[in-house]
Every structure is written in structure tokens, then in C-alpha cells.
Amino acid sequence: MKDTLEKLAFNRHRRLRSSKAMRSLVRETELTVDDLIYPLFVIEGNDIQNEVSSMPGVFQLSLDHLRAEIKDIQQLGIQAVLLFGIPKAKDAEGTGAYATDGIVQEATRLIKESFPEILVIADTCLCEYTSHGHCGVIHGQEVDNDASLPLLAETAVSQAKAGADIIAPSNMMDGFVVATRRALDDAGFTHIPIMSYAVKYASAFYGPFRDAADSTPEFGDRKTYQMDPANRREAIREAQADVEEGPDFIIVKPALSYLDIVRDVKNTVDLPVVAYNVSGEYSMVKAAAINGWVDEEAIVMEKLTAMKRAGADLIVTYFAKDVATWLKA
């Protein structure tokens, strides 16, 4: 047998896996706290700290609890948060989204006044604020693309005036990036970047988010404006169209089941690529971990590393605080 082996020619790949130190030395992909963006759900009212039933460890927070949360986030080394608002009242045109005293605007002011070094990313959509739960203006039973754009642009300007560092339009209306960019520039916010949800699929993985943000559509679904999960080439068309309109970041959402899309987008565009590790991806791991079926830390670190390996420069994740804690250990 020894003589037979000596005659065989093969590579000894295990040499570079021989110890923890050796594996670290040759590791190709590193996940750091600087890669993380933490989503927050801010709600109108006082003394509210509601845990989302389908997302253990995630809370709807009123402003009087937000300061303590941001302090905790900052101490963990997380540099950016993504704000979603939950208003007391909703209407057909989502006026709370662009109100001067809207919940995201007020939360932004609070964060920037107390923690100016924290980057505030404002999600720019109408779905949390409309009585029908859709991301734009409804005419009949359809979302009116062009009628929605001025309201979305107004929302972006309102968020920028409140102090948002980055505007993140997530509505998937055609032309939303150019409408947002033009409105920001006209209002004097040429320095504010846009983080575009350029590639956003109509995914079943969003279910728990809709509990958290109270944004389930009153009728129908969002398949006429969000993308078909079966389509790959369409993602490139969407990303390229957005690049022509002037964003500064490109988001792919969801992430875990769309790593091929993350890589395709990374290979196509010359902008930072953001992977959104969405609520369903979070809740499945949390449920399995609570039941003792998986090692939560190992699973989370593996899947977020996979997102970076696929090409993500940044990751939006509800696990951000957990990951920051694990990285410090």
C-alpha cells in the first residue's frame, strides 16, 4: 500500500487546515462588526417595548426606550442602524412617512443629537404608513407607480432634513432612485447617499417582518412590483438600471436563498453591495436554536460569512448585536 501511495500524484490540501492558527492564517473571508447594519423598529407612543412574537429578541421600541438601545449598540461597536417606523395612524397616502414629526424623523433626531457618530439609515417606503399596506398610492386595485414617486421623494427629503445619513428607498417603484436623487439634490442634500433596494424579491421570507412593522397588505400581494424569485437575469437588469439613476449602494434582499444573485450583482456593479439577512432567515435560526436543534452562534456566523464570501460588502441583520458580542469574545 505504501508503495502504491508513493506512486500516486495528488495535492495535500490538508496541510493548510492542520491547526486553528494555520486555518486563520489562510482564511479568505472575514466577518467584522464594521460589516453590520442593525435594523430597528420605532413605534409612536410611550413606554413601549414589544417583543415581536415571530422574531424572538427583536422589539418595537418607543422613543423613550430608543436611547438606551442605541447606547448598547454603540458599545458593541455597531456603526449603523436602519430605521423602520410604526405610526399610530395610517391613511391611504401614507402621510406619516413624510410628516415632519413622523416617527422615523423623530427617532433620527434623537439618535443624531445623542449619538452623532452613529450612522442613521432611513428606510424610505410607504407600506408601514398606508391604510392598505402597499408601498405606493392605490388607484383601483393597482399600485400607481408614477403617482407614488413624488410621495416617496418627499419622504426621502423629510428624512434627510431630520438628519438621516443615508436614504434607503425600498419601495421597488420604477424610477424611484432617480426621483429620490433629484429631490434630495433640489433640496440641497447632494451629499446624502442613497442605499437602493435595487434587487428586492417578492419573498415568503418577509413574513415575520410584517408582524414587526405592521405592514401586511390589506389586499393582494406585492408581486406586481417586487421581483419573481425564479428570475436571475432580471436582477442584473434591475441593478444596472438603478446604477444609471445614481445610487451609492445596492441592496440584494433576501440574502441567504439569493447568494447567487449577490455574486452576480457584485460582478456587475462597481458599488458597495449590501445583503439583507431578512426576518424569515432570522426567525428560522432562532426557532431552531430555542429548541436546541442547532448551535446558534455557529450557524449565524457561517451564514453571514457565506454572504460576505458571495460578495456582500455590508450585511443588514437582526443578528447584529449577537454577532458583535460573539466577535468580542
Side-chain angles (χ1 to χ4, degrees), residues 137-154:
V137 176
I138 296 294
H139 286 157
Q141 294 289 299
E142 299 293 330
V143 177
D144 188 323
N145 190 97
D146 293 8
S148 301
L149 292 178
L151 300 184
L152 294 162
E154 187 175 351

Side-chain angles (χ1 to χ4, degrees), residues 125 127 130 132-138 141-145 170-174 176 197-198 200-202 210 215 217 219-228 234 238:
C125 197
C127 61
T130 55
H132 47 73
H134 280 282
C135 301
V137 176
I138 296 294
Q141 294 289 299
E142 299 293 330
V143 177
D144 188 323
N145 190 97
S170 61
N171 49 82
M172 284 299 284
M173 298 296 111
D174 291 336
F176 71 90
Y197 286 72
K200 183 177 180 181
Y201 285 89
R210 290 170 185 166
S215 62
F219 64 89
D221 53 41
R222 298 188 173 118
K223 292 180 180 179
T224 63
Y225 44 104
Q226 295 177 2
M227 292 171 54
D228 185 339
E234 184 183 7
E238 285 279 4

Side-chain angles (χ1 to χ4, degrees), residues 111-123:
I111 294 170
K112 296 308 294 185
E113 287 169 6
S114 301
F115 306 92
E117 59 281 0
I118 292 288
L119 287 172
V120 173
I121 306 169
D123 181 81

Side-chain angles (χ1 to χ4, degrees), residues 52-83:
V52 180
S53 60
S54 56
M55 298 180 71
V58 173
F59 293 83
Q60 298 172 335
L61 298 172
S62 54
L63 295 181
D64 50 334
H65 287 285
L66 182 59
R67 186 175 281 105
E69 178 72 358
I70 297 296
K71 183 178 180 180
D72 187 31
I73 289 166
Q74 185 181 56
Q75 289 175 341
L76 287 169
I78 297 168
Q79 299 185 85
V81 295
L82 174 60
L83 297 185

Side-chain angles (χ1 to χ4, degrees), residues 257-274:
S257 294
Y258 297 83
L259 296 182
D260 58 328
I261 308 301
V262 173
R263 172 47 58 184
D264 287 345
V265 171
K266 181 67 173 180
N267 289 345
T268 303
V269 307
D270 189 24
L271 292 173
V273 174
V274 184

Side-chain angles (χ1 to χ4, degrees), residues 4-290:
T4 301
L5 284 176
E6 287 176 351
K7 294 177 182 178
L8 293 176
F10 56 86
N11 294 318
R12 299 220 176 245
H13 299 289
R14 292 178 58 190
R15 291 172 183 153
L16 300 184
R17 305 173 196 148
S18 60
S19 67
K20 182 178 180 180
M22 183 68 78
R23 292 189 295 273
S24 295
L25 187 68
V26 298
R27 184 162 295 132
E28 299 174 26
T29 306
E30 293 285 348
L31 180 69
T32 75
V33 71
D34 293 337
D35 302 323
L36 307 175
I37 299 169
Y38 188 48
L40 287 170
F41 298 96
V42 288
I43 186 169
E44 287 188 333
N46 295 305
D47 196 23
I48 300 173
Q49 198 169 15
N50 297 332
E51 186 170 25
V52 180
S53 60
S54 56
M55 298 180 71
V58 173
F59 293 83
Q60 298 172 335
L61 298 172
S62 54
L63 295 181
D64 50 334
H65 287 285
L66 182 59
R67 186 175 281 105
E69 178 72 358
I70 297 296
K71 183 178 180 180
D72 187 31
I73 289 166
Q74 185 181 56
Q75 289 175 341
L76 287 169
I78 297 168
Q79 299 185 85
V81 295
L82 174 60
L83 297 185
F84 297 94
I86 306 158
K88 282 184 178 179
K90 304 187 180 196
D91 57 42
E93 294 193 341
T95 56
Y98 43 89
T100 301
D101 59 351
I103 182 60
V104 165
Q105 288 80 353
E106 293 292 346
T108 299
R109 291 187 189 97
L110 184 153
I111 294 170
K112 296 308 294 185
E113 287 169 6
S114 301
F115 306 92
E117 59 281 0
I118 292 288
L119 287 172
V120 173
I121 306 169
D123 181 81
T124 306
C125 197
L126 302 182
C127 61
E128 296 112 282
Y129 305 90
T130 55
S131 52
H132 47 73
H134 280 282
C135 301
V137 176
I138 296 294
H139 286 157
Q141 294 289 299
E142 299 293 330
V143 177
D144 188 323
N145 190 97
D146 293 8
S148 301
L149 292 178
L151 300 184
L152 294 162
E154 187 175 351
T155 301
V157 171
S158 176
Q159 292 168 338
K161 287 180 177 177
D165 298 288
I166 300 172
I167 299 299
S170 61
N171 49 82
M172 284 299 284
M173 298 296 111
D174 291 336
F176 71 90
V177 173
V178 70
T180 301
R181 182 73 272 161
R182 186 172 299 159
L184 289 171
D185 291 352
D186 289 347
F189 295 107
T190 57
H191 60 291
I192 297 294
I194 293 174
M195 183 179 285
S196 169
Y197 286 72
V199 181
K200 183 177 180 181
Y201 285 89
S203 173
F205 284 98
Y206 301 154
F209 173 91
R210 290 170 185 166
D211 293 339
D214 188 23
S215 62
T216 302
E218 189 178 63
F219 64 89
D221 53 41
R222 298 188 173 118
K223 292 180 180 179
T224 63
Y225 44 104
Q226 295 177 2
M227 292 171 54
D228 185 339
N231 291 354
R232 184 175 183 179
R233 295 192 303 273
E234 184 183 7
I236 301 306
R237 295 198 300 271
E238 285 279 4
Q240 289 175 328
D242 274 25
V243 168
E244 292 171 3
E245 295 179 20
D248 303 277
F249 305 80
I250 295 289
I251 297 177
V252 176
K253 181 182 182 183
L256 189 60
S257 294
Y258 297 83
L259 296 182
D260 58 328
I261 308 301
V262 173
R263 172 47 58 184
D264 287 345
V265 171
K266 181 67 173 180
N267 289 345
T268 303
V269 307
D270 189 24
L271 292 173
V273 174
V274 184
Y276 198 134
N277 177 211
V278 299
S279 59
E281 298 166 359
Y282 172 88
S283 295
M284 289 190 301
V285 173
K286 278 292 184 184
I290 288 168

